[in-house]
């Protein structure tokens, strides 16, 4: 039984605070981490291929039904509730671009539409300590997100031709100067 793989951990090593910008749309767009959809709850929030792909369990309807029917549930109710909570920040209902993006992806890949309808994550829930099952993976994901965004922004700045115009040098001279 898979339940033993998911033991709640109340002693967190890393304190995390989930920013509103930390959602699936920005994970893919800003950090360049490709979202892969999984039917396996055990793969949820797992980074793969040198942190270039993120697995997301999208079956919110099944999780919600299992939470309400305790007798047939394979997983603990708290785990399923927390999984739904992760979907709340990954697919925030108030973020228009996320909603539009998910709707397109959902249609193309036949995903559970309920994944983007799990409600809003409260400020209290954005405190990473409220996650006892997914805290470790969230911590790793948040770190990878931050690193990849910084790396991507540095590359954008490096190749941005507008910078050379601001300092009054041709773009090639700016690159040559910065290599010295």
């Amino acid at each position: 039984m898979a339940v033993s793989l998911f033991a709640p951990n109340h002693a967190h090593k890393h304190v995390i605070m989930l920013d509103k910008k930390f959602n699936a749309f920005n994970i893919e767009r800003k950090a360049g981490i490709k979202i892969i959809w999984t039917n396996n709850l055990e793969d949820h929030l797992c980074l793969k291929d040198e942190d270039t792909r993120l697995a997301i369990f999208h079956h919110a309807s099944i999780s919600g039904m299992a939470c309400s029917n305790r007798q047939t549930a394979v997983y603990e109710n708290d785990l399923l509730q927390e999984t739904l909570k992760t979907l709340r920040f990954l697919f925030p209902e108030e973020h228009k671009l996320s909603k539009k993006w998910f709707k397109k992806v959902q249609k193309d890949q036949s995903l559970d539409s309920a994944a983007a309808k799990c409600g809003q994550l409260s400020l209290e829930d954005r405190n990473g300590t409220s996650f006892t099952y997914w805290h470790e993976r969230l911590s790793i994901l948040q770190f990878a997100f931050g690193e990849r965004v910084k790396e991507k922004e540095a590359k954008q700045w490096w190749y941005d031709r507008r910078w050379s115009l601001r300092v009054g040098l041709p773009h090639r001279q700016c690159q040559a100067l910065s290599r010295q």
Side-chain angles (χ1 to χ4, degrees):
M1 187 183 239
V3 177
S4 63
L5 294 174
F6 296 103
N9 180 4
H10 298 282
H12 305 300
K13 296 176 185 169
H14 308 286
V15 176
I16 57 173
M17 186 68 176
L18 304 172
D19 187 272
K20 283 191 172 195
K21 294 175 187 168
F22 189 61
N23 59 56
F25 174 74
N26 285 332
I27 287 169
E28 195 164 88
R29 189 180 116 242
K30 289 187 175 185
I33 299 172
K34 179 156 177 45
I35 305 294
I36 54 173
W37 307 98
T38 183
N39 299 321
N40 186 352
L41 183 60
E42 295 171 17
D43 289 336
H44 184 56
L45 300 179
C46 191
L47 282 166
K48 301 171 183 262
D49 300 330
E50 296 182 13
D51 300 344
T52 60
R53 298 172 5 135
L54 172 67
I56 296 178
F57 179 78
H58 62 94
H59 295 289
S61 298
I62 294 170
S63 298
M65 286 188 296
C67 286
S68 61
N69 189 357
R70 298 270 309 146
Q71 293 173 330
T72 60
V74 175
Y75 295 103
E76 291 181 37
N77 189 40
D78 291 347
L79 169 65
L80 297 173
Q81 289 293 337
E82 192 171 305
T83 302
L84 292 173
K85 195 165 46 167
T86 65
L87 295 176
R88 283 188 202 118
F89 82 80
L90 286 169
F91 309 109
E93 289 185 7
E94 74 277 3
H95 194 264
K96 291 178 184 175
L97 290 174
S98 285
K99 282 175 72 170
K100 184 177 177 181
W101 171 80
F102 183 80
K103 196 176 238 182
K104 181 185 179 311
V105 173
Q106 186 267 327
K107 186 179 176 184
D108 292 345
Q109 299 190 28
S110 301
L111 303 175
D112 184 355
S113 62
K117 299 173 186 169
C118 292
Q120 311 246 117
L121 199 61
S122 69
L123 183 60
E124 183 181 320
D125 285 339
R126 287 191 172 281
N127 178 344
T129 58
S130 69
F131 292 92
T132 57
Y133 293 93
W134 299 113
H135 185 274
E136 183 80 21
R137 289 186 186 179
L138 285 172
S139 180
I140 292 167
L141 175 58
Q142 187 179 41
F143 180 78
F145 175 78
E147 290 298 304
R148 303 248 335 172
V149 167
K150 284 182 208 170
E151 181 181 301
K152 198 170 179 185
E153 287 174 351
K155 283 181 185 175
Q156 284 176 322
W157 178 82
W158 179 260
Y159 291 106
D160 187 352
R161 292 184 180 276
R162 294 173 297 172
W163 184 77
S164 60
L165 296 174
R166 286 193 293 267
V167 294
L169 294 171
H171 181 65
R172 289 185 186 157
Q173 282 182 320
C174 286
Q175 282 188 325
L177 284 173
S178 61
R179 283 186 213 136
Q180 295 176 352

